Amino acid sequence: MSDSIISVEHVFKSVTDSTGTLDILRDIDFVLNARETVAIVGASGSGKSTLLAIIAGLDTPSRGTVRLAGQNLFALDEDERAQLRAQKIGFVFQSFQLLGNLTALENVMLPLELANRRDARKAATEMLVRVGLSERLGHYPKVLSGGEQQRVALARAFVVQPAVLLADEPTGSLDFATGEKVMALMIELNREQGTTLVLVTHDTAIATRCDRRITIEAGRVLSAAESS
């Protein structure tokens, strides 16, 4: 498909220890299109986060592969995968993953500085203003609320204008009202930038905001349908 951005091709993942072999993912196969918003849903332990890590090239499948913008992730070495991630992928996590010794502005500037962007401060400032944190630029994460920290994390992810944004339970540590606001902001930013959003969640209300829902059960795709 010409507009596909992610192709997950017959992915299996197993781990073996002294107790035997555990099959985490079993023959996962689907295609995601550019600009699509997709929720990966399922019970705890169903394999959702493992699948997201494999899509990012942070974990390797036992069998199968993932293509990102036509590039076979697992034909690359670790350094090449890291370079491709830096160019194409943004991340948002449940635990925010902000650096505590950096201000909100410095956290958002960091990926731009790593990419040698000369306009890092200007672009980071504009993105923090966009997410409603113009009064928090110089604040450190420890004095920000959970919702504010997640908005900093969103700004950091979107400031590089990634082709794909991967979000792992991004509202999981927030209260309902704050989570709703953060999710609405994520969808807005996603549509403004034309990013492909892949969201892992156990919250069906959040999943219905996405174009499509992929349900994982016991490591298999149970269904892959448009959200109603």
Side-chain angles (χ1 to χ4, degrees):
M1 196 174 295
S2 59
D3 59 349
S4 67
I5 184 73
I6 296 170
S7 179
V8 179
E9 302 174 1
H10 301 290
V11 163
F12 292 75
K13 178 68 176 183
S14 302
V15 293
T16 302
D17 62 17
S18 59
T19 63
T21 299
L22 175 64
D23 295 322
I24 300 172
L25 297 174
R26 311 179 196 191
D27 201 18
I28 304 293
D29 192 81
F30 58 81
V31 172
L32 305 182
N33 296 324
R35 306 176 72 91
E36 192 173 17
T37 59
V38 180
I40 298 175
V41 301
S44 178
S46 60
K48 305 185 304 294
S49 293
T50 299
L51 176 58
L52 200 71
I54 289 174
I55 291 172
L58 294 168
D59 195 359
T60 56
S62 304
R63 290 161 50 197
T65 196
V66 174
R67 296 182 193 277
L68 174 61
Q71 178 73 62
N72 182 347
L73 285 181
F74 303 107
L76 306 175
D77 63 27
E78 287 188 23
D79 289 341
E80 290 169 333
R81 284 202 298 273
Q83 185 176 14
L84 187 63
R85 273 195 298 274
Q87 294 169 350
K88 299 284 188 185
I89 299 178
F91 295 94
V92 178
F93 301 96
Q94 177 177 338
S95 56
F96 318 133
Q97 300 286 352
L98 300 178
L99 296 177
N101 62 329
L102 299 182
T103 64
L105 180 60
E106 290 165 342
N107 265 284
V108 179
M109 286 173 62
L110 186 59
L112 297 170
E113 291 175 328
L114 292 172
N116 296 313
R117 283 270 298 270
R118 300 178 74 174
D119 64 338
R121 180 172 292 273
K122 179 176 181 289
T125 300
E126 289 174 352
M127 185 55 73
L128 282 165
V129 171
R130 171 63 187 83
V131 301
L133 293 175
S134 58
E135 305 300 317
R136 295 286 189 266
L137 303 184
H139 289 66
Y140 290 91
K142 67 182 179 181
V143 298
L144 299 175
S145 69
E148 288 171 335
Q149 289 185 63
Q150 194 59 297
R151 281 188 278 159
V152 174
L154 285 181
R156 182 182 58 188
F158 278 106
V159 76
V160 296
Q161 298 188 316
V164 177
L165 182 73
L166 303 178
D168 193 359
E169 299 282 6
T171 63
S173 60
L174 305 175
D175 64 74
F176 177 79
T178 303
E180 283 283 297
K181 290 175 183 176
V182 165
M183 188 64 202
L185 179 60
M186 184 183 301
I187 294 289
E188 283 175 24
L189 290 169
N190 182 72
R191 287 177 178 155
E192 285 171 17
Q193 293 194 1
T195 305
T196 299
L197 173 63
V198 185
L199 171 74
V200 161
T201 184
H202 66 276
D203 189 328
T204 54
I206 287 174
T208 58
R209 289 176 176 260
C210 297
D211 300 327
R212 189 151 55 109
R213 188 186 326 192
I214 296 173
T215 303
I216 306 291
E217 185 175 293
R220 297 183 186 275
V221 173
L222 186 65
S223 65
E226 292 184 2
S227 293
S228 55

PDB file of all heavy atoms in Angstrom, residues 128 162 174 198 204 218:
ATOM      1  N   LEU A 128       5.895  24.796  23.574  1.00  0.00           N
ATOM      2  CA  LEU A 128       5.387  24.860  24.950  1.00  0.00           C
ATOM      3  C   LEU A 128       4.240  25.864  25.062  1.00  0.00           C
ATOM      4  O   LEU A 128       3.280  25.637  25.800  1.00  0.00           O
ATOM      5  CB  LEU A 128       6.522  25.207  25.919  1.00  0.00           C
ATOM      6  CG  LEU A 128       7.445  24.029  26.252  1.00  0.00           C
ATOM      7  CD1 LEU A 128       8.726  24.516  26.907  1.00  0.00           C
ATOM      8  CD2 LEU A 128       6.741  23.017  27.165  1.00  0.00           C
ATOM      9  N   PRO A 162       7.643  14.343  14.213  1.00  0.00           N
ATOM     10  CA  PRO A 162       7.918  12.958  13.816  1.00  0.00           C
ATOM     11  C   PRO A 162       6.874  12.441  12.833  1.00  0.00           C
ATOM     12  O   PRO A 162       5.719  12.880  12.849  1.00  0.00           O
ATOM     13  CB  PRO A 162       7.836  12.190  15.138  1.00  0.00           C
ATOM     14  CG  PRO A 162       6.858  12.984  15.961  1.00  0.00           C
ATOM     15  CD  PRO A 162       7.127  14.420  15.605  1.00  0.00           C
ATOM     16  N   LEU A 174      -2.657   9.748  35.158  1.00  0.00           N
ATOM     17  CA  LEU A 174      -3.376  11.003  35.369  1.00  0.00           C
ATOM     18  C   LEU A 174      -4.808  10.730  35.814  1.00  0.00           C
ATOM     19  O   LEU A 174      -5.380   9.689  35.501  1.00  0.00           O
ATOM     20  CB  LEU A 174      -3.398  11.816  34.067  1.00  0.00           C
ATOM     21  CG  LEU A 174      -2.033  12.106  33.418  1.00  0.00           C
ATOM     22  CD1 LEU A 174      -2.235  12.806  32.084  1.00  0.00           C
ATOM     23  CD2 LEU A 174      -1.152  12.946  34.346  1.00  0.00           C
ATOM     24  N   VAL A 198       0.225   5.925  17.192  1.00  0.00           N
ATOM     25  CA  VAL A 198      -0.005   4.555  17.651  1.00  0.00           C
ATOM     26  C   VAL A 198      -0.037   4.607  19.173  1.00  0.00           C
ATOM     27  O   VAL A 198       0.971   4.920  19.816  1.00  0.00           O
ATOM     28  CB  VAL A 198       1.086   3.585  17.165  1.00  0.00           C
ATOM     29  CG1 VAL A 198       0.738   2.155  17.575  1.00  0.00           C
ATOM     30  CG2 VAL A 198       1.263   3.686  15.656  1.00  0.00           C
ATOM     31  N   THR A 204     -11.012   2.043  26.933  1.00  0.00           N
ATOM     32  CA  THR A 204     -11.790   1.987  25.687  1.00  0.00           C
ATOM     33  C   THR A 204     -12.319   3.364  25.291  1.00  0.00           C
ATOM     34  O   THR A 204     -12.491   3.642  24.101  1.00  0.00           O
ATOM     35  CB  THR A 204     -12.972   1.012  25.821  1.00  0.00           C
ATOM     36  OG1 THR A 204     -13.751   1.368  26.978  1.00  0.00           O
ATOM     37  CG2 THR A 204     -12.471  -0.416  25.983  1.00  0.00           C
ATOM     38  N   ALA A 218      -3.977 -12.385  24.430  1.00  0.00           N
ATOM     39  CA  ALA A 218      -3.043 -13.512  24.543  1.00  0.00           C
ATOM     40  C   ALA A 218      -2.028 -13.512  23.400  1.00  0.00           C
ATOM     41  O   ALA A 218      -1.687 -14.557  22.855  1.00  0.00           O
ATOM     42  CB  ALA A 218      -3.793 -14.832  24.586  1.00  0.00           C
TER      43      ALA A 218
END
